[in-house]
Amino acid sequence: MSLAFIKLEKSYSAPSGKSFKVLGPIDLTVKNGEFVCLLGPTGCGKTTLLRIISGLEQADSGKINRGAGRLGYVFQQGALFPWMNIESNVMFPLKATGMAGSLCRLKAEEILDLVGLYEFRKSFPHELSGGMQQRTALARGLVTGPDLLLLDEPFASLDTRTGINLQEMLRNLCRKLSTTVIFVTHNIEEAVYLSDRIVVMGHRPGRIVRDESLSLEWPRNRLSSTFTEVLLSFRQTFEELVDLSISS
Amino acid sequence: MSRLALRKKVRTDLRQRVQSLLPGLVIPTLLLSLWFFFNSRSILPAPGAVLDVLLDPSADLLSCGSLFWNTGVSLIRVLLGLSIAIMLGTPIGFLMGASNRFRHFTSLITELARPLSPIALLPLSIIIFKDTSFTEVLGLNHLKYSRNILNELQIGMIFILAWGGIFPVILETMHGVRGVRKVYIEAARVLGAGRMFIFKHVLFPASLPDIFAGYRMAVGRCWMVIIAAEMLPGTNSGIGYMLRYSYQLSRLDVMLACIFIIAVIGLVFSRGLELLGEKWLLLRARER
Ligand SMILES: Nc1ncnc2c1ncn2[C@@H]1O[C@H](COP(=O)(O)OP(=O)(O)OP(=O)(O)O)[C@@H](O)[C@H]1O
Ligand SMILES: [Mg+2]
């Protein structure tokens, strides 16, 4: 699914009643099947942007063009349903679209196997660790084979090894289904490893400060010099941003 | 777990349960012995006399039926009123919680009606419904003069029970639905769930513990209301009626037996529902 923002702006009202600008103006076009990582310091409006894309929030001005198709959304805090077991959580988006029960179960089991939670499918969210809950949320976002997948720091509480495996899995699956992905993260290495394109956002108001398609070929080698070069360059952009926001 | 270990576990569980009950028995025992040993001025009948009444619950007392019969009449009235309260109150409360427009539409009337004690409505409801009972409603007029449970289920009585029970159900359900965390609803929405699906699979299960708490409150209220209502004109059966009638005849042994039964049934209601609800209330623990 392709995606375009034109001069998108968003303000919230502060407790004092004064309105402050969170986003914008933002101009961005995402091609069908593109894997875009959204990097940015905390509070710059990444979650807000995803909420606008998904329709949970309305922009104040500007336009957003979204193609038709299924949406997958993995929330920053997981947002699993605590009264359902893992399997039912993952089946939820399938059932919501009226898929037959037995087929739902089959698909859910398949995806739970991919994220390594098959054995835990009958457990409840509170019985799992934070990282396992995140993986469940990821599975729930992926299970429909969405055309547009929005991920809000899905690997934040995973150890490096599991994180890398899941990055691998996510990347392959999205390739196979040619899913358009917006992946929000703080982790620069993760972004450089995964994405076709990295968009760096700055602070107050949230805006795009750097937008670059990566020319690194697949499979990527984290230890290669080209990889580290790209990594360093983005790290620099990021440091400058954070310095700015602290000194301002 | 081996069978032996299991049996041992069951036994220790049981012992712990019994032990946790013991401290609660201290005060009742004290009161009972006070009654037993210091009842010289005989305001009250001896405990033995009350026990005699309780031990023969199917005997006709004061020619207005047995303890069994009258307790049963009261229980069935409560069950009927409660079912109506639950069947009407749950959807109303649910809609009030889920739709702001519906809540604004109904909140004034529910706020006004809620503090009105059901007992205050009893005379009015007798005037409106006369002494119409289920016998007439079901068109079984040939049963009208026989001793029959249907004759004892007066519409007016059921009405005030439903009145007493419906407001806790409505309010708790509404609060439960309104209290469902927004992330769950948003997650469901972006994952493609429609309105009805969210109602059924998100709002309802997420607010079940509150809904159930409402049912529990309703049961308690109905049990209080029925006893009071039966002591007033409009009926000549039920455990409350028996209580008042025994007072008029100065049969304190029967009166105390009635009080005992009322208390025990109240206890069974609240404890039983608590145990039943623990399964659902677990949902609360899951969110932590
Ligand atoms: N509902 C709201 N009302 C008022 N202000 C809000 C609301 N939601 C977000 N904000 C503000 O908007 C800004 C951006 O928030 P957002 O959650 O989009 O940041 P983020 O980039 O996702 O941060 P993080 O990386 O920490 O998750 C913050 O300053 C926040 O205080
Ligand atoms: Mg965020």
Side-chain angles (χ1 to χ4, degrees):
Chain A
M1 184 197 291
S2 64
L3 190 66
F5 312 113
I6 304 150
K7 295 217 174 353
L8 196 79
E9 290 185 275
K10 173 82 187 170
S11 302
Y12 279 121
S13 46
S16 61
K18 230 172 59 191
S19 96
F20 70 97
K21 201 166 180 186
V22 180
L23 280 182
I26 287 187
D27 285 279
L28 182 72
T29 309
V30 179
K31 288 199 293 278
N32 188 22
E34 204 168 23
F35 197 120
V36 179
C37 272
L38 206 56
L39 270 175
T42 176
C44 73
K46 305 179 296 292
T47 300
T48 308
L49 192 62
L50 292 193
R51 288 173 62 84
I52 292 174
I53 299 174
S54 66
L56 287 177
E57 209 89 54
Q58 226 63 49
D60 298 331
S61 66
K63 254 173 75 176
I64 165 167
N65 290 328
R66 217 183 91 185
R70 274 185 307 260
L71 179 74
Y73 193 139
V74 179
F75 284 79
Q76 195 164 2
Q77 319 85 342
L80 297 175
F81 304 122
W83 58 89
M84 292 183 192
N85 65 19
I86 297 308
E87 188 176 50
S88 304
N89 262 289
V90 174
M91 290 195 302
F92 184 90
L94 300 173
K95 285 222 165 126
T97 48
M99 187 184 279
S102 53
L103 191 56
C104 289
R105 176 152 293 126
L106 217 66
K107 291 210 164 204
E109 283 176 2
E110 195 180 324
I111 197 87
L112 279 170
D113 195 31
L114 274 178
V115 298
L117 286 176
Y118 183 81
E119 285 82 44
F120 294 93
R121 64 193 188 285
K122 298 292 178 201
S123 306
F124 283 87
H126 76 285
E127 295 166 334
L128 302 189
S129 73
M132 289 155 104
Q133 293 180 19
Q134 273 192 331
R135 272 141 71 192
T136 311
L138 180 68
R140 190 176 66 177
L142 280 169
V143 72
T144 52
D147 301 291
L148 175 64
L149 181 60
L150 308 174
L151 300 149
D152 204 345
E153 300 185 34
F155 301 147
S157 58
L158 297 178
D159 60 70
T160 329
R161 191 67 241 167
T162 322
I164 289 177
N165 287 344
L166 284 176
Q167 284 167 16
E168 214 67 71
M169 188 276 298
L170 177 67
R171 176 75 215 185
N172 292 337
L173 201 68
C174 293
R175 268 269 171 100
K176 204 172 82 190
L177 304 170
S178 69
T179 308
T180 311
V181 182
I182 314 270
F183 188 108
V184 168
T185 178
H186 283 130
N187 184 336
I188 305 172
E189 187 189 311
E190 183 172 65
V192 176
Y193 184 74
L194 276 173
S195 43
D196 299 321
R197 177 177 169 194
I198 297 183
V199 173
V200 183
M201 278 176 73
H203 239 175
R204 291 190 205 128
R207 72 218 127 82
I208 295 170
V209 296
R210 183 170 172 187
D211 179 354
E212 193 172 310
S213 294
L214 304 188
S215 52
L216 295 167
E217 73 289 345
W218 294 93
R220 286 179 184 172
N221 180 355
R222 284 168 210 265
L223 301 175
S224 73
S225 58
T226 42
F227 188 93
T228 37
E229 218 168 275
V230 177
L231 183 64
L232 278 178
S233 120
F234 275 100
R235 181 152 289 154
Q236 194 162 12
T237 311
F238 209 73
E239 303 275 284
E240 281 163 13
L241 265 178
V242 175
D243 282 348
L244 264 179
S245 74
I246 289 172
S247 60
S248 69
Chain B
M1 206 186 289
S2 76
R3 255 178 86 176
L4 200 71
L6 192 72
R7 200 175 303 157
K8 209 166 165 185
K9 185 176 176 315
V10 169
R11 210 179 297 149
T12 44
D13 278 0
L14 203 69
R15 193 185 310 142
Q16 274 168 0
R17 272 201 114 98
V18 172
Q19 273 172 359
S20 72
L21 279 177
L22 285 179
L25 292 176
V26 172
I27 295 173
T29 316
L30 268 174
L31 289 176
L32 270 177
S33 27
L34 274 180
W35 177 19
F36 195 81
F37 292 112
F38 297 97
N39 192 24
S40 54
R41 290 173 64 202
S42 55
I43 300 170
L44 300 176
V50 180
L51 201 62
D52 283 343
V53 176
L54 285 170
L55 285 179
D56 194 5
S58 50
D60 187 86
L61 292 168
L62 325 173
S63 67
C64 62
S66 63
L67 278 178
F68 256 154
W69 162 258
N70 284 295
T71 310
V73 167
S74 296
L75 278 175
I76 290 173
R77 283 171 178 160
V78 164
L79 242 51
L80 266 175
L82 197 66
S83 323
I84 293 172
I86 285 176
M87 281 188 305
L88 287 179
T90 313
I92 291 176
F94 199 87
L95 280 177
M96 284 177 74
S99 149
N100 285 332
R101 203 181 307 156
F102 189 77
R103 187 173 57 257
H104 294 148
F105 183 67
T106 48
S107 67
L108 183 64
I109 179 83
T110 44
E111 287 303 309
L112 273 175
R114 189 169 61 101
L116 198 50
S117 159
I119 299 300
L121 289 178
L122 185 62
L124 182 66
S125 115
I126 293 175
I127 289 173
I128 294 175
F129 296 107
K130 310 260 169 6
D131 62 346
T132 315
S133 72
F134 264 62
T135 317
E136 284 109 62
V137 174
L138 298 174
L140 304 169
N141 287 328
H142 58 284
L143 292 176
K144 203 166 171 191
Y145 301 101
S146 59
R147 169 161 268 195
N148 189 301
I149 186 81
L150 291 177
N151 281 331
E152 309 303 330
L153 303 176
Q154 294 87 349
I155 303 299
M157 193 84 53
I158 309 294
F159 171 76
I160 64 156
L161 281 169
W163 183 279
I166 202 167
F167 292 105
V169 173
I170 289 181
L171 287 178
E172 287 303 304
T173 305
M174 181 181 89
H175 286 309
V177 173
R178 292 193 75 189
V180 175
R181 283 178 54 198
K182 223 173 112 199
V183 275
Y184 299 141
I185 300 165
E186 291 185 337
R189 257 179 61 197
V190 293
L191 292 170
R195 222 178 143 74
M196 282 328 265
F197 195 83
I198 291 179
F199 272 20
K200 191 167 159 214
H201 294 279
V202 179
L203 289 184
F204 184 67
S207 47
L208 251 183
D210 292 291
I211 296 178
F212 198 73
Y215 293 175
R216 266 177 58 195
M217 285 164 70
V219 175
R221 275 194 78 171
C222 282
W223 190 237
M224 289 206 168
V225 167
I226 189 65
I227 303 304
E230 285 169 350
M231 293 175 76
L232 293 167
T235 181
N236 43 26
S237 61
I239 194 81
Y241 174 77
M242 204 164 196
L243 181 63
R244 194 202 58 164
Y245 195 58
S246 59
Y247 159 76
Q248 281 173 337
L249 300 183
S250 301
R251 281 291 300 273
L252 270 75
D253 52 341
V254 177
M255 192 168 106
L256 285 172
C258 290
I259 290 175
F260 181 78
I261 288 175
I262 290 167
V264 167
I265 288 179
L267 178 77
V268 168
F269 271 153
S270 72
R271 283 295 290 164
L273 281 171
E274 205 175 333
L275 290 178
L276 211 106
E278 253 165 34
K279 195 182 131 219
W280 282 337
L281 295 174
L282 262 185
L283 298 173
R284 273 287 137 85
R286 275 184 200 144
E287 281 186 53
R288 283 189 206 117

